[in-house]
Amino acid sequence: MDSDAKRVVLALVISVAVLFAWTTFVMPPEPKQAPAPTATPAQTAQATAAAPAPAAMPAPAPAPQVMPAYQDVVVETPLMRATFSTKGGALRKVVLKDYFAKPGQQGGEMVLLDLADSEPYALGLALVKLDPHLAQRPFQASAQRLEVTAAGQSLSFSAESAGVRVVKTYTFRPDSHAFQLSVSLQNKNAGRIELTPELILAEYVSKMHANSYAFTGSQVVAGGSLEELDHGDLEDSPVVAGPIDCLTLSIPYFMGAVAPESWPAVAQGKPSARGWADAKLMTATLVSPLLPMDAGQSLDLKFLVYYGPKELHVLEPLGHSLAMAVDFGWFDVIAKPMLAGLNFFHDYVNNYGVAIIIITVLIKLLFWPLQNKSYESMKKMQKLQPQIAKIREKYKDDKQEMNQQVMQLYKTYKVNPLGGCLPMLAQVPVFIAFYKVLGSSIELRHAPFWLWINDLSAPDRLPIGFEIPFVGDGIPVLTLLMGASMFITQKMSPATGDPTQQKMMMLMPVIFTVMFINFPSGLVLYWFVQNLLGIGQQWLVNRRKD
């Protein structure tokens, strides 16, 4: 392999290393403190830009001076326990009964949402021009508790402020993490008013640490296009306007979402969504189009609300483009078939670790011919090394002539200097797509494999009873085996003529082992099996006689 080809190979390897290093070690900047999540004048202007000038409006209701004692109303379904509050008739806490905090169904039921009294509750409603503090006002609940055993059971909260009667009705199903929210507005003022209702989602920033590889932030689907606003983006209070299909606030593996069913016919302008975050909390707010209401007129707003796992087979039947929240970035078109394949094999073997091995073998078979060409090309290049060394020595003072002689040598022996690295380059999108799937799919969360690996979404650690500095509680056995397999692969690969590059390549197993220490064990398993298969293929190529 000549120096140019070596540089290409080295660049490829370093690029992959940089990719891992970026996703692993580059932490988000320290969040800055921000004011309370209220709309800025610019955002409000953008949200209502298409609306006409407002009618003569009654004075906005003042903020409540004394907070009353709010009451919780618990809604119990077979899948979730949702705690609503008379504070704004909003959602304070969600517990998922079919998910657990720790592997092996340990640690209690999964608490998806648990907002403190001082925070804005989820699904709080604000009427910007009349009562921006509506979400903090006491509502009257229709029941003290609701046990959902049949579809269609509902819970209502009602209040009246600034001459507007508001009734929020939640309707549940026993077999779904989704429920309906209907907001009924009645203008009891003497004249015409204009409203821009806002519905808020809220979540704690700290939950992003559950998995740094998975997306945390807000996702907006508008007109069929997905826009993702991570925590850093939310700090800039972004606004997305358009035909909003759904708005989510996502944490690793789970999300809260709201999707408008329809807007009243009198709606003017477009809906919009805005985000906000500080060091502690992040919010996503769905802003309604401008709604003019004559005296005595009533309007109904209907929403689909979802609090549950980010699973395609759960979200796709709900519509509203909610399934687009399961997004794997640029390589989504490759990653989703891989996820489907994982689930397909899991249905047969009932073990996601085994399913990963099967997928890895299939990927290896898919690229076997290309990889064979790569190995054979590297082998041919190795045989030319003595002649290349002589050319370099002979023309060491004339690089142009040296390169021409080397290229002529390749031409004579019909060797493509890039033949060794192009097949590797073709595999990069597949690898990154599988990396995204294994790093952020809820299917891998708490999924056991074998022996000490009881969670394929967490780093592998064999407990030894005490913590190892910089590693944690246990020995990363699978990661060390992965590093060893990579070292063997390097030893079996045809050596280059440059001793410096040989030393650098032999350092790669050490670098990758360090990088993989905190990777999900599912990803380490994939890389380990890939290396084992690569060793076998390299052995077959090396023993083949020319």
Side-chain angles (χ1 to χ4, degrees), residues 60-263:
Q65 299 299 314
V66 178
M67 298 297 178
Y70 303 114
Q71 293 181 341
D72 286 345
V73 180
V74 176
V75 176
E76 195 95 28
T77 81
L79 297 180
M80 61 192 294
R81 185 181 305 107
T83 302
F84 292 84
S85 171
T86 55
K87 174 186 170 183
L91 183 62
R92 185 178 69 79
K93 185 175 183 179
V94 175
V95 176
L96 303 182
K97 297 180 178 179
D98 47 349
Y99 291 88
F100 295 86
K102 295 182 179 179
Q105 299 188 349
Q106 301 297 312
E109 296 167 335
M110 170 70 190
V111 179
L112 175 54
L113 182 73
D114 189 8
L115 297 167
D117 292 343
S118 57
E119 310 295 355
Y121 290 167
L123 306 180
L125 185 71
L127 303 177
V128 175
K129 295 187 176 182
L130 280 182
D131 190 0
H133 307 287
L134 181 62
Q136 301 173 26
R137 300 191 187 281
F139 276 58
Q140 182 71 38
S142 63
Q144 300 298 313
R145 178 183 175 84
L146 179 64
E147 192 87 23
V148 179
T149 56
Q153 291 181 260
S154 61
L155 170 69
S156 294
F157 293 89
S158 59
E160 185 172 329
S161 179
V164 178
R165 176 170 172 74
V166 181
V167 180
K168 300 171 67 178
T169 302
Y170 300 95
T171 305
F172 302 91
R173 293 177 56 91
D175 57 350
S176 177
H177 293 100
F179 51 93
Q180 308 287 331
L181 167 60
S182 173
V183 178
S184 176
L185 304 171
Q186 183 184 13
N187 178 16
K188 304 185 75 171
N189 291 285
R192 186 172 185 263
I193 60 174
E194 293 179 341
L195 299 178
T196 308
E198 296 184 350
L199 199 60
I200 191 173
L201 299 173
E203 184 55 277
Y204 286 116
V205 174
S206 58
K207 291 191 176 180
M208 68 188 295
H209 302 309
N211 183 340
S212 59
Y213 310 105
F215 175 79
T216 299
S218 180
Q219 296 164 299
V220 185
V221 181
S225 297
L226 172 68
E227 183 161 351
E228 293 189 326
L229 307 167
D230 63 21
H231 177 263
D233 297 327
L234 293 177
E235 290 181 330
D236 297 328
S237 302
V239 176
V240 177
I244 305 295
D245 298 316
C246 68
L247 172 68
T248 81
L249 203 52
S250 293
I251 59 174
Y253 308 120
F254 301 94
M255 71 178 190
V258 59
E261 300 272 8
S262 63
W263 299 110

Side-chain angles (χ1 to χ4, degrees), residues 464-535:
I464 54 175
F466 59 88
E467 288 198 359
I468 301 174
F470 307 108
V471 175
D473 186 14
I475 302 174
V477 177
L478 184 62
T479 310
L480 294 175
L481 290 174
M482 185 278 299
S485 65
M486 196 171 179
F487 176 78
I488 295 172
T489 302
Q490 292 291 345
K491 292 292 287 184
M492 293 179 67
S493 298
T496 66
D498 188 336
T500 303
Q501 287 194 7
Q502 288 183 38
K503 291 178 181 177
M504 289 184 63
M505 294 304 290
M506 292 308 295
L507 279 177
M508 296 309 293
V510 177
I511 296 172
F512 270 64
T513 301
V514 172
M515 286 195 305
F516 272 61
I517 278 183
N518 288 318
F519 275 15
S521 51
L523 189 62
V524 180
L525 176 63
Y526 160 73
W527 198 258
F528 175 57
V529 176
Q530 180 82 358
N531 285 345
L532 292 182
L533 296 172
I535 290 171

